[in-house]
């Protein structure tokens, strides 16, 4: 039996380039190739659903928090103000942990570590970005009639060390910070370590031990390539992995009081904020509260993102059940 279906009508007009896929399905159907049409529709449908929209919204909120937080730091240095301090406390309480937790949500650490893919996506991206930085500082040195050799040497050592902030505990003098791309190096180490720990018995013990060692060792020495930041970030990756494994978002949906508890913990963390910088493994004067508060803040931001998705975008951007299968 042959079914002739107009797949192009499966989604509304103006849905972007996704319409092209269903248009092709319509062609397949008109050519009386129902099997190919059905397969192609399935592929296009899954491709469209791979993106879980409220997770993308949460990442967008975190990106805005990164920008706002660093702007608030600069503003507070120029003109100290309570509003800037509140913005710093709010933004730094959750933004970087959120990125690592969501990355862990889609990880499969029980599988083999894909060296080529991880190196290409993270290490090669870091290398290309630092090369652009070196080209940029060379151009700036030329424009300002300064020593290009000195600029290349100073920033070359900074790029080689790969830390997100300046420290007096480095193995050799490093004059500047490499900035936001420390995240790429830390993510590489965190993903590699979690793949290793996931194959060992008592994974949670190894993850906790790695966090503690990375945190304590950074008080005495600042190792290159953001290794210690990656060691601590393993815990957040693992939390994201466990959240998917045990369907935490589904449980929270069934028990809405968890949102209230998470919000209260997050507020307490922001009010009593004692500093937090994953780039430098600094979890402030209340490290336990900083970690727990970042988890609560991440959960709240995801909840806000789900609400925004439902209110303004129709709530059709993928599903948690699909994420569990990815």
């Amino acid at each position: 039996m042959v079914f002739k279906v107009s797949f192009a009508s499966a989604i509304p007009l103006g849905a972007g380039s996704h319409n092209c896929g269903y248009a092709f399905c319509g062609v397949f159907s008109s050519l009386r190739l129902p099997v190919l049409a059905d397969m192609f529709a399935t592929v296009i449908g899954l491709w469209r659903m791979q993106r879980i929209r409220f997770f993308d919204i949460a990442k967008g909120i975190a990106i805005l928090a990164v920008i706002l937080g660093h702007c608030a730091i600069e503003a507070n240095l120029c003109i100290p103000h309570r509003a800037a301090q509140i913005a710093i406390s709010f933004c730094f309480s959750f933004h970087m942990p959120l990125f690592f937790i969501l990355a862990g949500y889609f990880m499969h650490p029980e599988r083999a570590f894909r060296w080529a893919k991880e190196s290409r996506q993270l290490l090669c991206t870091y290398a290309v970005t630092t090369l652009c930085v070196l080209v940029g500082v060379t151009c700036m040195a030329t424009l300002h009639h300064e020593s290009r050799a000195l600029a290349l040497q100073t920033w070359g050592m900074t790029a080689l060390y790969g830390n997100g902030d300046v420290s007096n505990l480095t193995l050799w003098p490093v004059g500047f910070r490499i900035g936001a791309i420390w995240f790429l190096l830390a993510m590489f180490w965190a993903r590699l370590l979690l793949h290793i720990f996931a194959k060992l018995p008592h994974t949670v013990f190894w993850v906790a031990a790695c966090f503690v060692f990375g945190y304590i060792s950074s008080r005495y020495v600042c190792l290159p390539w953001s290794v210690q930041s990656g060691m601590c970030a393993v815990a957040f990756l693992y939390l994201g992995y466990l959240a998917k494994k045990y369907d935490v978002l589904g449980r929270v949906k069934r028990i809405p009081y968890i949102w209230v508890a998470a919000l209260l913990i997050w507020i307490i963390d922001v009010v009593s904020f004692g500093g937090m910088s994953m780039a430098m493994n600094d979890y402030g004067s209340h490290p336990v509260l900083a970690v727990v508060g970042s988890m609560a803040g991440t959960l709240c931001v995801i909840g806000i993102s789900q609400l925004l998705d439902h209110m303004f975008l129709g709530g059709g951007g993928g599903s948690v059940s699909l994420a569990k299968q990815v």
Side-chain angles (χ1 to χ4, degrees), residues 211 215 236 269 275-276 282-294:
F211 181 94
Y215 175 73
F236 295 102
D269 180 34
M276 181 174 180
D282 182 6
Y283 290 85
S285 55
H286 311 289
V288 175
L289 178 60
V291 173
V292 176
S294 67

Side-chain angles (χ1 to χ4, degrees), residues 89-316:
S89 300
F90 168 75
C91 295
F92 278 82
S93 69
F94 78 94
H95 60 41
M96 293 312 303
L98 183 144
F99 287 118
F100 285 102
I101 289 173
L102 292 190
Y105 196 93
F106 294 97
M107 277 190 67
H108 295 280
E110 71 281 357
R111 300 176 183 175
F113 185 71
R114 294 178 291 185
W115 286 94
K117 180 180 178 181
E118 301 287 355
S119 299
R120 183 178 65 255
Q121 291 183 343
L122 298 171
L123 300 185
C124 289
T125 302
Y126 178 84
V128 170
T129 307
T130 54
L131 181 61
C132 293
V133 170
L134 294 178
V135 171
V137 298
T138 302
C139 294
M140 292 300 295
T142 302
L143 291 174
H144 290 88
H145 305 288
E146 298 174 349
S147 173
R148 291 189 294 269
L150 179 60
L152 280 174
Q153 179 184 3
T154 304
W155 280 98
M157 296 301 292
T158 300
L160 180 62
Y161 215 89
N163 271 10
D165 208 341
V166 178
S167 172
N168 57 1
L169 298 176
T170 53
L171 298 180
W172 59 80
V174 180
F176 297 102
R177 68 194 72 186
I178 197 58
I181 56 175
W182 69 269
F183 174 82
L184 298 171
L185 297 176
M187 180 66 80
F188 177 83
W189 296 119
R191 294 176 71 89
L192 174 61
L193 289 169
L194 185 55
H195 272 84
I196 294 173
F197 297 150
K199 297 173 179 60
L200 299 176
H202 312 295
T203 300
V204 65
F205 167 79
W206 294 107
V207 170
C210 185
F211 181 94
V212 171
F213 181 81
Y215 175 73
I216 295 178
S217 65
S218 63
R219 310 276 80 80
Y220 302 97
V221 62
C222 180
L223 297 177
W225 311 315
S226 296
V227 171
Q228 290 153 306
S229 297
M231 294 177 71
C232 288
V234 172
F236 295 102
L237 281 182
Y238 190 57
L239 287 170
Y241 167 73
L242 293 178
K244 180 184 67 173
K245 181 177 180 180
Y246 294 106
D247 190 23
V248 169
L249 293 182
R251 293 173 185 268
V252 172
K253 188 175 181 180
R254 294 190 294 270
I255 310 174
Y257 296 108
I258 297 178
W259 294 115
V260 179
L263 180 59
L264 290 176
I265 293 173
W266 190 22
I267 292 174
I268 293 172
D269 180 34
V270 172
V271 170
S272 59
F273 187 73
M276 181 174 180
S277 172
M278 289 190 68
M280 294 304 295
N281 271 8
D282 182 6
Y283 290 85
S285 55
H286 311 289
V288 175
L289 178 60
V291 173
V292 176
S294 67
M295 295 163 50
T298 296
L299 184 60
C300 289
V301 170
I302 291 175
I304 293 170
S305 302
Q306 289 177 317
L307 183 63
L308 292 173
D309 183 25
H310 179 75
M311 290 176 60
F312 300 106
L313 300 174

Side-chain angles (χ1 to χ4, degrees), residues 73-95:
I73 290 176
E74 298 299 324
N76 196 56
L77 289 175
C78 297
I79 306 176
H81 195 277
R82 180 58 180 165
Q85 296 165 5
I86 293 175
I88 294 170
S89 300
F90 168 75
C91 295
F92 278 82
S93 69
F94 78 94
H95 60 41

Side-chain angles (χ1 to χ4, degrees), residues 4-20:
K4 300 179 69 174
V5 182
S6 177
F7 289 98
S9 63
I11 57 175
L13 294 176
S17 60
H18 300 307
N19 280 334
C20 297

